[in-house]
Amino acid sequence: MNDFVIAIIIEKTSDRKYELSRKALESINVPKGYLVQYYTINKGITGKERNKFQEQHSAQYYLYITDSIIVLDDNILFNIVEAFKDDDIGAVGVIGAQSLSLDGIYCHCNYQKGKFIFLKEKNDFSSAEIANSFNSNDSSLVDVRVLHPEFIAITNQFHWIESFSEIGIDVSALCREITTQEYRIVVINADKPQIGLNDSYIIMEISAQLKSEFISKYGKIYEDAALRFYHDEQELPYHVGKNVNFFMSHRLAGVEGISIGEDTEFQKDCWLMLPFDNYAGFPRLIIGRGCEIGHRCHIHAVNSVILEDEVLLASDIHISDHNHEYRNVGTPIKKQGVDSLSNKVRIGFGSWIGNNVVIAGNIDIGEGCVIGANTVLTGNVKIPDYCVVAGAPGRIVKVYDAELNAWVKLTNQKDLEKIIATRSIIKEKRPLLTVGIPTYNRLQYLKVSLEAVLKQAGNNSNVEILVSDNLSTDETAKYVKKLTKRYRNLRYHCHEENIGGDRNFLSIYLNAKGKFALALGDDDNLENHVIDNVLDILEKNSNISLLQLLHQGGSDKVILGKTVSSYMKKVSFNSTFISGLIFNTDLLKMIPNLDAEINSSFNQVYLTLSLIKKYENYGILCGQIFRSDSGAHNSSVYSLGEIFIQRYLDIIKKYASLTKEELSQEKKKLLEGMILPWCVLSKEGKCSLITDDIFKYYDQYYKDEEYYIAGKSKLKE
């Protein structure tokens, strides 16, 4: 990729229009240090062809226009480049819409924004008129959900959706993908019109089949017969994440201003509503990731209602940022409107709202709160983190005391103030667990691994998520830093120099804020339930020195032990799998020479054995730990015999203090469970390992074993 190349791609529809468009383009100013390259494509180019073009032409930005566009502002490229300095922006245009129509056709989209000149007569500037849909309070960059299909600039990280190639709907599909990845799309609000629109030819209708395919991909909730929409909704919701489930009948109104996070479930007869037609380009009703909404819950937003991630609502709950106005005597209440257009409701991460609760007004509920059944919260109310609220009107009856590390009953307001003040001194509850991912130039794997962790623990204050970057030269820093804006428990650390893979893993334990730390390989992907199970085990067994994650399939099972001998009997060579080790960081830091075996490839085995020998009390979580797509990265070529016979057994002999019989059994497990299977895979060409020298190491380490001859025979096979 060339970071300073802008590719301008002009779609040609007629000679005269193309001549006017190209002439205007060639007179524009080019930002200092950039190179502009012009390309002409034929009308109707497919998404597949556009993607192929981008693969062949390595530019930083791609500006796609049709010959209907006549650039009027010589500095338009400066405006585009300046906009893209914000890493959150994925696409830039000059005309767009703040909602996306159900069929994906741009001319059906509402809440349009833009300032341009349009020619009422083709190629005739004397017929030009100015169109301006910006408001006086609009900023220089206005967020939209879709861009006018005849002018769109994108960064090189985005690709066209090949199943949607018709002009107009192709851009709509691309824009939906960009916003789904949580990038912004903006239009430039300049002092004067930046383009002229000369006889636009965007489509007005599409086939029923293509419309059905578009809805199926981007508006799936419309296919759910259980949903009922008010006002004949013809727009897509602001955002709907993956795996959102609606069970039985529901009502939705004002969908363009409703955002629903992934893995959220709604039980029967829920109602989500924006009662007023006051959508302003951003969602007013936001339901976060992993929420569970019970039967007959009503959530209404005039200004702003936010349910953060992992919020649990029981049944028959009413949540709104307003009440009906009633004070105008003589006027029917239904005609009086609402009492506020500026209130906000926030329900913090992981909170639980009990049955029959009413929340209406300017209400802020902190993280990890419990709002007991039948509680009523109205007016202006602020509930701190980790409180239990009950009553009508609601009052705080319990609160988490960070100093005592316990929940205590609240008797008066002064006690609450003291506890909250103590929290501010302590600053924050220490995370129980750090999930760290060391990485170096493997963004494609990191994305998958990190997503699996964030899905389970994003914004959970009891978990720190740490990415330790070994000074990658790819887009790792940009990608992770963007995610830190959404996930407050995600931290990015980049070493000043590449310290090597093993030391990067070790740095996770040393830099972790959590009491326990897991250093997870960037191509190892945890199953959805694992982090919750781990937290439960660590809460109940906070004195253990380590927790081993042992992938065995089947139901989860926890084993507790005390000695190295019992650990090796249960875990064996699986102790080499560093992504399966969770260390107690306080105890680990008291082990001398933490990097004593850093050059052996198995420093983690040394740390494991040292912890158990000194502090005992280990745990093992057996079960379905890692997804089947783990280990996707092809490891570097190494000698199987040198690494897994010589180096591993040398460490076991040095630190495990096993009896002769125990060591013999461990060597046999290693041979049958690791060496022989990997030799087969190597022979079949399914892995890149050096096995030519396997007999040299086998003879050296197994010659005194009674199964030596039989083992060598199997190796020869």
Side-chain angles (χ1 to χ4, degrees):
M1 178 195 74
N2 192 323
D3 286 342
F4 301 100
V5 171
I6 303 171
I8 300 179
I9 303 96
I10 313 164
E11 188 169 345
K12 181 178 180 180
T13 64
S14 76
D15 291 340
R16 179 55 179 156
K17 286 174 62 177
Y18 176 80
E19 181 183 348
L20 291 173
S21 178
R22 182 62 186 261
K23 183 178 180 180
L25 278 172
E26 290 176 347
S27 65
I28 62 177
N29 298 320
V30 178
K32 185 177 180 180
Y34 280 84
L35 173 67
V36 173
Q37 297 174 338
Y38 294 94
Y39 303 92
T40 301
I41 57 177
N42 295 322
K43 179 180 178 181
I45 186 172
T46 65
K48 184 176 183 179
E49 290 169 327
R50 291 176 191 244
N51 287 336
K52 186 176 180 181
F53 172 86
Q54 289 182 196
E55 290 174 4
Q56 294 173 342
H57 301 83
S58 183
Q60 183 179 15
Y61 306 125
Y62 296 91
L63 172 58
Y64 289 91
I65 69 171
T66 71
D67 57 9
S68 297
I69 299 295
I70 300 173
V71 173
L72 304 176
D73 186 348
D74 291 344
N75 292 320
I76 194 167
L77 291 183
F78 287 86
N79 296 334
I80 292 172
V81 169
E82 187 65 26
F84 277 131
K85 288 181 179 179
D86 185 335
D87 290 339
D88 287 340
I89 292 177
V92 179
V94 290
I95 311 171
Q98 292 183 318
S99 69
L100 179 54
S101 65
L102 181 59
D103 56 15
I105 298 176
Y106 179 80
C107 61
H108 296 166
C109 297
N110 295 319
Y111 310 100
Q112 296 200 11
K113 292 287 185 178
K115 185 189 298 180
F116 60 97
I117 290 175
F118 68 96
L119 307 187
K120 298 176 69 175
E121 299 293 334
K122 182 177 178 180
N123 302 328
D124 182 5
F125 275 88
S126 66
S127 66
E129 291 188 7
I130 294 179
N132 181 12
S133 53
F134 287 120
N135 300 322
S136 58
N137 59 347
D138 281 334
S139 61
S140 59
L141 294 177
V142 178
D143 284 87
V144 295
R145 303 303 282 174
V146 63
L147 292 173
H148 191 288
E150 296 188 88
F151 188 106
I152 175 172
I154 61 174
T155 63
N156 54 34
Q157 68 194 94
F158 297 108
H159 299 89
W160 295 82
I161 314 306
E162 296 183 1
S163 55
F164 301 106
S165 291
E166 288 194 33
I167 180 67
I169 197 171
D170 56 351
V171 171
S172 296
L174 175 61
C175 288
R176 192 63 173 182
E177 293 289 339
I178 291 172
T179 56
T180 297
Q181 295 178 44
E182 299 186 1
Y183 284 86
R184 294 169 59 199
I185 300 174
V186 298
V187 292
I188 299 167
N189 179 12
D191 294 335
K192 60 183 181 180
Q194 296 191 90
I195 65 164
L197 200 54
N198 180 17
D199 188 38
S200 173
Y201 72 93
I202 60 173
I203 57 173
M204 304 293 287
E205 295 294 338
I206 57 175
S207 68
Q209 178 180 349
L210 191 58
K211 179 178 180 180
S212 176
E213 291 173 357
F214 190 85
I215 294 174
S216 179
K217 186 170 179 65
Y218 300 111
K220 192 169 180 58
I221 63 170
Y222 284 85
E223 296 182 321
D224 192 334
L227 292 174
R228 287 176 286 169
F229 296 90
Y230 275 54
H231 315 310
D232 188 26
E233 304 280 359
Q234 292 297 313
E235 288 150 326
L236 291 177
Y238 189 90
H239 173 73
V240 177
K242 299 175 183 177
N243 304 318
V244 172
N245 292 315
F246 290 91
F247 297 101
M248 305 302 290
S249 59
H250 297 81
R251 296 178 179 181
L252 278 75
V255 294
E256 68 275 12
I258 297 175
S259 176
I260 304 172
E262 63 182 359
D263 299 315
T264 288
E265 292 188 350
F266 296 83
Q267 299 300 323
K268 184 180 179 182
D269 295 331
C270 293
W271 190 0
L272 308 180
M273 183 182 186
L274 272 60
F276 295 154
D277 185 17
N278 65 339
Y279 173 66
F282 55 87
R284 294 191 179 277
L285 198 167
I286 300 174
I287 298 177
R289 169 187 55 81
C291 294
E292 295 185 19
I293 313 299
H295 297 82
R296 297 174 299 279
C297 288
H298 291 194
I299 307 175
H300 302 168
V302 166
N303 181 41
S304 175
V305 173
I306 299 174
L307 276 63
E308 294 185 350
D309 296 348
E310 304 289 350
V311 167
L312 173 63
L313 303 188
S315 300
D316 300 293
I317 295 169
H318 176 83
I319 299 173
S320 70
D321 57 1
H322 60 281
N323 279 298
H324 285 288
E325 182 58 83
Y326 64 91
R327 290 169 291 188
N328 297 324
V329 177
T331 302
I333 291 175
K334 72 175 185 178
K335 295 182 179 180
Q336 291 189 39
V338 297
D339 63 350
S340 174
L341 298 176
S342 59
N343 283 345
K344 295 180 179 181
V345 171
R346 180 185 73 95
I347 301 177
F349 173 88
S351 290
W352 169 40
I353 314 298
N355 288 327
N356 303 306
V357 167
V358 173
I359 297 171
N362 196 46
I363 314 293
D364 188 89
I365 298 171
E367 177 178 332
C369 289
V370 176
I371 311 300
N374 302 307
T375 297
V376 177
L377 294 174
T378 59
N380 292 287
V381 178
K382 182 176 178 60
I383 308 296
D385 294 346
Y386 301 104
C387 290
V388 178
V389 179
R395 65 183 183 87
I396 299 172
V397 296
K398 273 188 176 183
V399 62
Y400 172 75
D401 189 322
E403 190 173 25
L404 298 177
N405 191 27
W407 290 81
V408 298
K409 289 184 178 180
L410 193 66
T411 56
N412 57 65
Q413 182 66 24
K414 286 187 177 180
D415 287 345
L416 175 63
E417 293 172 358
K418 180 181 177 181
I419 291 170
I420 299 304
T422 302
R423 282 187 192 171
S424 64
I425 293 172
I426 296 174
K427 291 187 177 179
E428 60 182 20
K429 180 177 178 288
R430 182 187 183 187
L432 180 61
L433 174 67
T434 291
V435 179
I437 307 179
T439 191
Y440 175 67
N441 281 348
R442 305 208 306 188
L443 181 57
Q444 67 187 93
Y445 303 107
L446 174 67
K447 285 182 177 180
V448 181
S449 179
L450 183 56
E451 180 184 355
V453 174
L454 290 170
K455 185 175 182 179
Q456 299 177 61
N459 290 325
N460 185 341
S461 61
N462 212 19
V463 180
E464 177 196 27
I465 303 170
L466 170 63
V467 174
S468 182
D469 186 359
N470 233 342
L471 204 61
S472 295
T473 56
D474 59 9
E475 297 288 308
T476 294
K478 179 179 178 181
Y479 174 76
V480 180
K481 286 178 180 178
K482 182 179 187 301
L483 288 175
T484 61
K485 297 177 182 179
R486 176 182 174 188
Y487 297 101
R488 56 182 176 269
N489 63 334
L490 173 61
R491 182 160 63 98
Y492 173 76
H493 173 77
C494 185
H495 296 289
E496 294 181 358
E497 60 181 1
N498 189 322
I499 61 174
D502 289 336
R503 291 194 181 277
N504 199 12
F505 271 89
L506 181 59
S507 75
I508 293 290
Y509 312 125
L510 299 178
N511 294 330
K513 294 180 179 179
K515 180 177 180 180
F516 293 88
L518 165 66
L520 183 70
D522 59 9
D523 63 343
D524 291 321
N525 310 318
L526 295 173
E527 289 280 8
N528 287 337
H529 65 284
V530 171
I531 293 180
D532 285 339
N533 288 358
V534 166
L535 290 173
D536 183 61
I537 295 168
L538 297 180
E539 286 281 7
K540 294 175 180 176
N541 303 276
S542 60
N543 65 328
I544 60 176
S545 60
L546 66 92
L547 178 65
Q548 175 82 44
L549 305 180
L550 193 57
H551 184 85
Q552 291 185 336
S555 301
D556 288 350
K557 180 175 65 174
V558 180
I559 300 171
L560 299 176
K562 287 182 174 292
T563 66
V564 169
S565 177
S566 64
Y567 172 83
M568 291 302 300
K569 186 175 181 180
K570 295 179 178 70
V571 176
S572 184
F573 56 84
N574 290 296
S575 61
T576 63
F577 184 44
I578 196 167
S579 293
L581 291 165
I582 299 175
F583 291 141
N584 184 317
T585 57
D586 293 336
L587 299 182
L588 183 74
K589 290 172 185 176
M590 299 182 70
I591 298 294
N593 304 321
L594 289 176
D595 60 352
E597 299 293 340
I598 201 71
N599 296 318
S600 71
S601 301
F602 296 131
N603 196 61
Q604 68 272 22
V605 179
Y606 156 70
L607 297 176
T608 298
L609 299 176
S610 299
L611 276 171
I612 298 175
K613 286 176 74 174
K614 187 170 184 178
Y615 299 106
E616 302 181 337
N617 296 325
Y618 66 83
I620 304 172
L621 173 59
C622 308
Q624 199 74 28
I625 308 296
F626 296 96
R627 294 183 346 202
S628 60
D629 59 349
S630 295
H633 177 71
N634 292 323
S635 59
S636 57
V637 178
Y638 59 84
S639 167
L640 180 63
E642 179 187 356
I643 301 298
F644 276 97
I645 295 180
Q646 183 185 64
R647 295 190 188 182
Y648 172 66
L649 290 179
D650 282 353
I651 286 180
I652 295 301
K653 289 178 181 179
K654 188 174 181 180
Y655 299 106
S657 302
L658 299 178
T659 65
K660 183 177 180 180
E661 182 181 350
E662 288 171 339
L663 179 59
S664 178
Q665 287 300 312
E666 175 57 24
K667 289 161 71 175
K668 189 173 184 180
K669 288 179 185 177
L670 177 67
L671 176 65
E672 295 175 348
M674 166 67 78
I675 304 302
L676 289 173
W678 279 99
C679 281
V680 172
L681 292 174
S682 179
K683 183 178 180 180
E684 295 174 349
K686 296 180 180 178
C687 65
S688 300
L689 294 173
I690 298 171
T691 57
D692 296 345
D693 56 357
I694 194 74
F695 293 106
K696 172 182 129 179
Y697 295 102
Y698 181 79
D699 290 342
Q700 181 181 349
Y701 284 82
Y702 283 84
K703 62 183 178 182
D704 295 328
E705 302 299 333
E706 60 182 20
Y707 51 83
Y708 167 73
I709 295 176
K712 191 165 187 176
S713 177
K714 290 180 180 179
L715 273 176
K716 289 180 178 179
E717 292 175 7

